[in-house]
Amino acid sequence: MNVLGIIASGVAALFITVALARSARRVALRPHVPDEPGGRAPRAEALRRTGGATAVLGVGTATGVALWLGAADDAAGSVGGLLAGAGIVAALGLVHDLKPLWAALRLGVQIAAAILVVCLAGLSPAAGILAALWIVLVTNAFALLDHADGLLTAVGLVTAAGLLTCALVGGDPALALLPTTLVAGLAGFLLHTWHPARLRLGAAGAQFTGFALAASGALIQAAAPSGRAAWAALPALATVALADSALVLISRRRAARSPLRDADDHIAHRLRRVRVTVPGAAVLTALWAAVPVATGALVYAELLHPAFLLLPLAGTAAAVFALLRIPAHAPPRTGSSRTTSSGSTPPRTAAARRTEASDATIPAAASAPGAKGSAPGQGASAAARTAAGHPTVPPPPTGRPVAETASAAAERG
């Protein structure tokens, strides 16, 4: 295995991704044609939405050339299957970006790609089934993190760095090829997807990133020496992605909503509710991910006892519980149903009470049934209003004295 070749592949992935992303960004932000409504061409918006394909091409090209040059001879089958499976789900995501596909179809393709990876890696049937299920679960968990500018890119960069460390420490550096190129590709794409994002990872980039991270973790765990606590250390690297999925599922179940219907109830959305900026949400989530990633890498390197993994897991559970207390949707604001923070109706002013009283009593008194001697057209005069919009008191009937009208009203009262 050529270590210099893996380093060179990382540098190549960085430069290819930066070059492709800059080209796509230049086209997406090109001045619009004057006769086009909306100020931007539809092709430019499509380029922004599918910008993650540039990262996929950068990482995939650098990894493929490194495999062709023999940078991972001792694990070429495993790395080649991993790259092929990630490319399949990336192609599916690109089609989904352009035309939405059914969830069942996407899930089926992801399962097929995961089976391809475990078969080419030569895992046993039991280990292969568990690895395939893990790959599909973590792929979708990471893909759900693509709900804010720079969030998935930052978390994926931290996670790929942890996988790279584990691969180098575990004695099988060939499996470090894809994490190396993924770190470089995400680093080159981060500036373009940072808030305000000029390009987006989209389904292609998000599913490629999630699949590459999940499959790399599964293969590194399968190739780990027997003395290492890989069974506990490597799953900890996906803590934040799984926490976001758990947060979404619990929140939507409480609200009796479909778990497949997208809504503003993810980690970054709830942080925005407490006035955290979009870049701040990405930085906080990346720092949150760095804690279990660093702990898992240290446990994998046998520098910490596996019991230390309980600390970031407990902190993550507490963070999810705290985020669940933040409302996922802002309460409706209407003039007739405003309430205070305690849920009670705010007190009305004296002017408002007088206006409501006049509106409720004056028309009723003017059109009270049973009034004798009402002149024709009195109903029309009762509905008359002043220039300010207030109802007017109709004059007494012409055939009846005012004193008699007052005494009759007193008797009725």
Side-chain angles (χ1 to χ4, degrees), residues 335 338-353 356:
R338 292 182 300 169
T339 57
T340 60
S341 58
S342 61
S344 60
T345 304
R348 295 170 297 174
T349 61
R353 288 196 296 268
E356 292 177 2

Side-chain angles (χ1 to χ4, degrees), residues 128-149:
I129 293 175
L130 292 177
L133 293 177
W134 172 259
I135 291 172
V136 173
L137 173 64
V138 177
T139 297
N140 290 280
F142 271 100
L144 287 177
L145 287 177
D146 190 29
H147 57 264
D149 294 347

